[in-house]
Amino acid sequence: MNPELYELEKKIGYVFKDKTHLKNALIHSSYANEKHMSKCECNERMEFLGDAVLELTSSEFLFYEHSKMPEGELTKLRASIVCEPTLAFCARQIDLGSFLFLGKGENATGGRNRDSVVSDALEALIGAIYIDGGFTNAKEFIYRFVLNDLENKKLFFDSKTILQEKVQANFSEKLTYRVLAEEGPDHNKIFHVGVYIGEEKYGTGYGRGKKAAEQDAAYQTLLIMQNRKKE
């Protein structure tokens, strides 16, 4: 097994008994195609299994965590946890993208940082842990890396809406987002965005796309506002 994959095992706190399960979870379809591998050798089957394990675990967690919440609200809350942006956010916490096996084209066009790629890989990793170590180990991974710090994650994913509401309630000036800089080639561009309330600049953020950068900037602004409130 590649030495880097031992580093991933350290990050996730789980050592695979069968290392091929881990490698299989990290093989993107573009790599499998390029290497003329079987379709079943990429991580899509692992992803299918991991998705089911994640849904069951998150459903059980929310069922007991919110004992008075009706079914409709539980469904919405679960959807926000297992959606692509949230899982991509969780995948970046362990730098999962850097461990993936990608085809040259996918790698060159920023696949390691693409939400769809890394979120699918996270589900595949959950599936691999389930196959290798059973439900308890998969559940432990999900609790540690997906179901942890949900309040802060909610603040991040609803950051633009929450910030808009705060500005409308507490400021007379208008909220705007301004692109401060762009870097990288057109197919893999990173945007740097600033939040302005009136002409005062608050938080700045970056991302692969203006919307992602705006979301990050809004989140950073909310953190600034929280810190000012504490002072």
Side-chain angles (χ1 to χ4, degrees):
M1 188 172 78
N2 292 16
E4 310 91 72
L5 299 190
Y6 290 108
E7 184 61 33
L8 178 57
E9 287 183 321
K10 283 185 194 174
K11 280 177 179 281
I12 66 175
Y14 178 78
V15 176
F16 281 79
K17 295 186 284 291
D18 185 343
K19 307 299 183 186
T20 59
H21 291 147
L22 174 57
K23 185 171 182 181
N24 185 235
L26 302 173
I27 295 176
H28 188 256
S29 58
S30 62
Y31 181 89
N33 291 337
E34 195 174 274
K35 300 294 182 182
H36 306 291
M37 298 165 70
S38 159
K39 181 74 173 171
C40 293
E41 291 181 84
C42 75
N43 65 5
E44 290 174 358
R45 282 171 52 83
M46 286 285 196
E47 175 204 338
F48 166 80
L49 182 60
D51 174 66
V53 176
L54 174 60
E55 184 155 320
L56 174 58
T57 302
S58 57
S59 298
E60 181 192 55
F61 171 80
L62 294 174
F63 181 84
Y64 290 110
E65 188 75 8
H66 302 282
S67 58
K68 304 295 183 185
M69 187 177 284
E71 181 269 342
E73 289 181 40
L74 284 170
T75 300
K76 284 182 185 176
L77 185 53
R78 183 183 63 197
S80 72
I81 293 170
V82 301
C83 70
E84 183 179 288
T86 304
L87 296 182
F89 181 86
C90 299
R92 290 189 182 101
Q93 290 182 310
I94 56 174
D95 194 24
L96 187 58
S98 68
F99 297 98
L100 299 181
F101 295 91
L102 301 178
K104 290 177 183 175
E106 186 68 33
N107 190 42
T109 55
R112 292 187 190 281
N113 295 293
R114 191 169 291 122
D115 280 7
S116 59
V117 172
V118 296
S119 63
D120 287 352
L122 185 72
E123 288 184 327
L125 181 58
I126 291 168
I129 294 171
Y130 174 78
I131 288 173
D132 189 78
F135 184 69
T136 300
N137 282 301
K139 183 175 178 178
E140 186 178 315
F141 173 87
I142 293 166
Y143 268 71
R144 184 176 174 190
F145 294 106
V146 180
L147 298 176
N148 65 318
D149 199 16
L150 287 181
E151 283 304 310
N152 197 42
K153 285 174 183 169
K154 186 177 186 302
L155 183 66
F156 178 77
F157 290 110
D158 293 341
S159 56
K160 289 183 73 175
T161 302
I162 294 169
L163 180 60
Q164 184 69 44
E165 290 171 353
K166 281 185 176 291
V167 171
Q168 286 175 346
N170 299 290
F171 295 84
S172 57
E173 298 93 341
K174 189 180 175 184
L175 167 68
T176 57
Y177 295 89
R178 302 179 191 175
V179 176
L180 305 176
E182 299 176 21
E183 59 184 67
D186 287 342
H187 67 267
N188 198 20
K189 197 177 285 292
I190 294 176
F191 291 87
H192 294 261
V193 167
V195 167
Y196 287 79
I197 301 175
E199 289 304 311
E200 183 178 352
K201 187 169 83 169
Y202 280 73
T204 59
Y206 68 93
R208 295 180 186 277
K210 290 179 186 176
K211 285 186 179 178
E214 287 175 359
Q215 184 182 41
D216 187 33
Y219 178 64
Q220 299 304 326
T221 299
L222 289 170
L223 295 182
I224 289 169
M225 288 179 170
Q226 281 183 349
N227 289 334
R228 286 184 181 179
K229 205 171 181 180
K230 290 175 186 175
E231 290 171 359

